Amino acid sequence: MEKRKLSFWQIWNMSFGFLGIQFGFALQGGFMSRIFQTLGASHDDIPLLWIAAPLTGLLVQPIIGYMSDRTWHSKLGRRRPYFLIGAVLSSIALFFVPHSSTLWMAAGFLWVLDASINISMEPFRALVADNLPESQRSYGFVVQTLVIGVGTWVASNLPWMVSQLGVSDAAPQGVVPMSVKVAFAIGAVIFLLSVLYTIFTTSEYPPEDMEAFEKEKQKKNQFIPDIVNNIGNMPLTMKKLGVIQFFSWFAFFTMWSMANPALTEHIFNAPAPIEASYDMGVLVQKEAFDLANTTFQKASNLVGSAMGIYGLTSMVFALLLTFYTSKRNINRKYVHMGSLILGGLGFIGMYYISSPENLKYCFALVGIAWGSILSMPYAMLSSSVDPKKMGVFMGIFNMFIVIPQIIAALGGINYVSSLIGDQAINAMLVAGGSLIIAGLCNFLITNKSAISYQS
């Protein structure tokens, strides 16, 4: 089927739901560790508490990809039913996460939240490849990254913005501050509304042969054999991209799980107070704990705002690529390589700076890497796989995202960091090294159609 070229605004509408998805991811990535620390977790415990995120991705995305490839609804099409289900569940989970009263409750909500986000996210990736001709795919994924950048920046700053409006950062021992609760509630509303916007403004191509499609659906479900067969028959380019993804996502999982404890301690000198170090029955010590906790919460707001810079930079980077790729082809391989190496230098720089003011420059470099990670691998992949299996391959490709995160959560971060020392900030050095390795692995990509679309 010959697909027509879409205008910028049509691609924008198609991608707009990712604004909400990124609100969910940015609030989760920027503030779940803060919630865990508020509820009493040590920084060594945090990576394991985060294991819900990659495990749910590993389970959910291939299933949703497979199901959405075999779905066609007369009104909602192929991918949009999953947008809607994921958005409703994610919004509910986002609202309740900061109201957790115990660590196990917060970790449980993270499972629900991440599974729900994944239900929406994978079909959004596939939608770009479904609706755009190959010559526009780099452009489409870059526009999607532009929307993601906006969402990351705004969502990362939400607790700080809410705090500036007078909502308190102070809270009793073991209670998440109201500024975080309000921020998550706003995120829940934006998540749902932005996904609904895409559902109502975007159409999808029906299957080329509806009769053959219906016959395929009526066949006995071969989900597990089909997934195993597709994994075994992955294109070589997809496997090579998987190596790049492994080191890229190990780095970013390290940032999401460890940036708050690392930076509040190393840059702001405001580590989370440990309750066992205070005699809460003594008024003076209780007041000291409350003061240290409020200082930590305010420092966490500033860490969140600094992290928002990577979203802002990825947005600017994506905007520049949007203008360029709308008229010209790009060398995806070298763009991605350079971007990842710059991001790695940004992470390493966090170890060496002493002023919070300089943190924004480090995250600006990280944002360039993030902007590329969200577009270039998917553009290269979409030029290397069977269009009829786009959903399932996008889901399988997610394995190269979640497996490194599972390894990181199960002790990878703690082990590699401990080789350098016992300070939390060493995790940022690990993230930097991993991202530089990911950049150099781009030399593995040799498929010309993946490197640059050939008309």
Side-chain angles (χ1 to χ4, degrees), residues 23 27 58 72 81 98 166 186 190 198 229 244 249 257 262 269 329 334 366 372 396 402 404 441 451:
F23 259 76
L27 288 168
L58 182 64
W72 182 258
I186 293 171
I190 292 175
T198 287
N229 182 59
I244 299 167
W249 287 87
S257 60
N269 296 313
N329 292 329
Y334 289 122
V366 171
S372 188
I396 291 171
V402 299
C441 285
I451 293 170

Side-chain angles (χ1 to χ4, degrees), residues 378-415:
Y378 298 98
M380 288 190 272
L381 176 67
S382 66
S383 298
S384 309
V385 300
D386 181 355
K388 293 179 181 178
K389 297 182 177 181
M390 192 65 71
V392 70
F393 272 124
M394 286 288 181
I396 291 171
F397 192 54
N398 188 60
M399 291 193 309
F400 298 121
I401 294 174
V402 299
I403 290 173
Q405 295 182 65
I406 292 170
I407 292 171
L410 290 175
I413 295 173
N414 289 344
Y415 174 73

Side-chain angles (χ1 to χ4, degrees), residues 394-446:
M394 286 288 181
I396 291 171
F397 192 54
N398 188 60
M399 291 193 309
F400 298 121
I401 294 174
V402 299
I403 290 173
Q405 295 182 65
I406 292 170
I407 292 171
L410 290 175
I413 295 173
N414 289 344
Y415 174 73
V416 181
S417 297
S418 69
L419 298 178
I420 305 171
D422 59 1
Q423 292 180 306
I425 193 62
N426 291 328
M428 298 301 100
L429 293 176
V430 172
S434 185
L435 211 49
I436 290 172
I437 292 172
L440 296 175
C441 285
N442 277 273
F443 282 118
L444 297 171
I445 307 300
T446 55

Side-chain angles (χ1 to χ4, degrees), residues 120-143:
S120 286
M121 187 179 74
E122 189 282 330
F124 260 103
R125 293 289 188 201
L127 182 67
V128 171
D130 287 346
N131 278 15
L132 293 178
E134 192 167 345
S135 61
Q136 277 195 307
R137 286 184 186 166
S138 288
Y139 183 42
F141 283 113
V142 166
V143 172

Side-chain angles (χ1 to χ4, degrees), residues 181-245:
K181 293 177 180 176
V182 172
F184 271 67
I186 293 171
V189 173
I190 292 175
F191 195 125
L192 183 59
L193 293 180
S194 64
V195 171
L196 288 175
Y197 178 85
T198 287
I199 289 173
F200 290 124
T201 60
T202 301
S203 59
E204 298 182 65
Y205 287 103
E208 292 185 41
D209 186 336
M210 185 61 76
E211 185 177 344
F213 179 78
E214 290 297 335
K215 286 181 179 178
E216 184 67 25
K217 282 176 60 179
Q218 291 169 9
K219 289 182 180 178
K220 184 179 179 181
N221 194 311
Q222 296 289 310
F223 169 69
I224 294 178
D226 282 354
I227 291 289
V228 172
N229 182 59
N230 285 319
I231 290 173
N233 292 300
M234 277 189 289
L236 182 60
T237 298
M238 185 173 172
K239 296 175 183 177
K240 292 177 178 179
L241 285 168
V243 177
I244 299 167
Q245 292 288 82

Side-chain angles (χ1 to χ4, degrees), residues 167-319:
V167 181
S168 178
D169 288 317
Q173 165 196 348
V175 176
V176 177
M178 184 56 67
S179 57
V180 177
K181 293 177 180 176
V182 172
F184 271 67
I186 293 171
V189 173
I190 292 175
F191 195 125
L192 183 59
L193 293 180
S194 64
V195 171
L196 288 175
Y197 178 85
T198 287
I199 289 173
F200 290 124
T201 60
T202 301
S203 59
E204 298 182 65
Y205 287 103
E208 292 185 41
D209 186 336
M210 185 61 76
E211 185 177 344
F213 179 78
E214 290 297 335
K215 286 181 179 178
E216 184 67 25
K217 282 176 60 179
Q218 291 169 9
K219 289 182 180 178
K220 184 179 179 181
N221 194 311
Q222 296 289 310
F223 169 69
I224 294 178
D226 282 354
I227 291 289
V228 172
N229 182 59
N230 285 319
I231 290 173
N233 292 300
M234 277 189 289
L236 182 60
T237 298
M238 185 173 172
K239 296 175 183 177
K240 292 177 178 179
L241 285 168
V243 177
I244 299 167
Q245 292 288 82
F246 181 95
F247 290 104
S248 299
W249 287 87
F250 188 99
F252 272 87
F253 183 85
T254 301
M255 180 191 75
W256 292 322
S257 60
M258 294 302 296
N260 198 72
L263 299 177
T264 51
E265 178 182 305
H266 185 72
I267 304 295
F268 292 92
N269 296 313
I274 300 171
E275 184 185 342
S277 301
Y278 297 82
D279 185 347
M280 304 304 281
V282 177
L283 180 60
V284 174
Q285 292 206 33
K286 183 179 183 304
E287 289 176 346
F289 175 89
D290 290 341
L291 177 61
N293 187 49
T294 301
T295 303
F296 164 72
Q297 298 294 348
K298 288 185 179 296
S300 296
N301 281 350
L302 295 174
V303 169
S305 295
M307 288 179 71
I309 297 295
Y310 89 84
L312 188 63
T313 311
S314 71
M315 178 181 69
V316 173
F317 180 67
L319 189 60

Side-chain angles (χ1 to χ4, degrees), residues 28 32-56 102-112 114 253 256-258 261 405-406 408-411 413-414:
Q28 172 186 297
M32 276 309 302
S33 290
R34 172 183 181 176
I35 291 172
F36 289 147
Q37 286 185 282
T38 299
L39 296 174
S42 70
H43 65 73
D44 288 335
D45 297 330
I46 289 173
L48 186 58
L49 290 168
W50 268 86
I51 198 169
L55 274 181
T56 52
T102 60
L103 267 178
W104 68 264
M105 187 181 294
F109 273 126
L110 179 58
W111 280 90
V112 176
D114 209 84
F253 183 85
W256 292 322
S257 60
M258 294 302 296
Q405 295 182 65
I406 292 170
L410 290 175
I413 295 173
N414 289 344

